[in-house]
Amino acid sequence: MGCWRRCEQAIGWLPVVVVEAIVVWSWYAFNVVLVGSAVENVFIKILYVLLQNAALVMFQWSYYKCIMVPPMRPPPEYKLNQQELTQLAQGVEPESVTNRQLNTLTYSRFGHGIRYCGFCRVLKPDRCHHCSSCNSCVLKMDHHCPWINNCAGFHNYKFFCLFLIYGALYVVIIALLSLPYFVLYWQDKITVAGSTHLIVMFFMAAMISFTFVMMAIYHISLTCANKTTLESTSFRVRFYKATVNRWSLGSNIANFEQVFGTDRSQWWLPKFTSIGDGVHFPVVLAPDTQGAQFDPPKQRPQQQQQQQQQQQQQ
């Protein structure tokens, strides 16, 4: 590993350090400055501490899982040797690749050929993309997030959604609970030791809460549509004869369960409960099909052309 790559990896942790520094400071400003100095009622003190710290625990738990769970890569059967890689680069689909029967349903928009990665030397499963920051192909990649120094993908997308939800809850709690005391202090009706912390905490929580809430709503809507950020913002790949979102299973709940699982008691916990293996995904046969079914394996355009030529020769 080169020196530049090591420096790049070290710099990648800076956003995480910034987030954790803000969290530590916000805990001090809320529990020590606000609760310890401004709040007088003992019952309210206990309630404030319980609410803020419960949200903090779930937020930090989800954040830790987002960061520490490594991306899932294509399995060994998707590996390419040098000869296969050379042929694919020349626009020729090797027979050894065709015979693998991987049943991928998407193909590249460039030349309508099979999707592969020359950097990782692998065939790309459906919904898999190469991340230049992680330097690897990531299964069901959503996007690379610098705030977690990791990719959001099949391996941790549930954790990422919970990170946004609990992050929004954490900052909203701080903003709402500190608002009355911020107003009282602004009106010179109370004195607060370390008032600067109270003022900065309220304004930061109010601004950050807007970002967290909007991001949480956006990613939950993607989950209910069974889309990733890449799929909703770009057209890097194409579906065989598809003009609609073929990954959608026809209902918001069915799509949501693909990420959060079928056990609803586990939805709120940052535990891996996503359905599938990140390589194969159920698709509906038509937009109005009721329930999830598996499309029969599709032939790539080059395979279809070869088959037609063989039939003509016969």
Side-chain angles (χ1 to χ4, degrees), residues 80 83-104 106-108 111-116 123 240 298-306:
L80 294 169
Q83 182 179 3
E84 292 170 336
L85 189 64
T86 302
Q87 289 180 298
L88 286 171
Q90 296 172 347
V92 179
E93 186 170 318
E95 185 177 354
S96 58
V97 171
T98 306
N99 293 337
R100 295 188 193 185
Q101 297 295 319
L102 299 177
N103 298 335
T104 54
T106 51
Y107 59 91
S108 172
H112 299 271
I114 188 171
R115 299 174 61 234
Y116 71 96
L123 298 170
Y240 285 96
K298 302 290 192 303
Q299 289 182 317
R300 287 181 289 276
Q302 187 174 7
Q303 289 178 270
Q304 294 175 349
Q305 185 178 5
Q306 292 175 352

Side-chain angles (χ1 to χ4, degrees), residues 78 101-109 112-115 124-128 237-249 279-285 293-301 303-304:
Y78 285 80
Q101 297 295 319
L102 299 177
N103 298 335
T104 54
L105 300 175
T106 51
Y107 59 91
S108 172
R109 64 174 181 173
H112 299 271
I114 188 171
R115 299 174 61 234
K124 288 183 179 180
D126 292 328
R127 315 183 83 175
C128 175
V237 298
R238 295 187 180 186
F239 230 126
Y240 285 96
K241 301 179 181 179
T243 58
V244 296
N245 174 26
R246 296 291 295 277
W247 301 123
S248 176
L249 301 183
V279 176
H280 305 97
F281 301 93
V283 293
V284 294
L285 296 176
Q293 302 182 35
F294 282 90
D295 261 346
K298 302 290 192 303
Q299 289 182 317
R300 287 181 289 276
Q303 289 178 270
Q304 294 175 349

Side-chain angles (χ1 to χ4, degrees), residues 186-204:
W186 200 259
Q187 296 174 345
D188 293 326
K189 293 183 179 180
I190 61 172
T191 57
V192 179
S195 57
T196 303
H197 291 285
L198 175 61
I199 297 172
V200 175
M201 177 182 67
F202 170 73
F203 280 111
M204 284 191 65

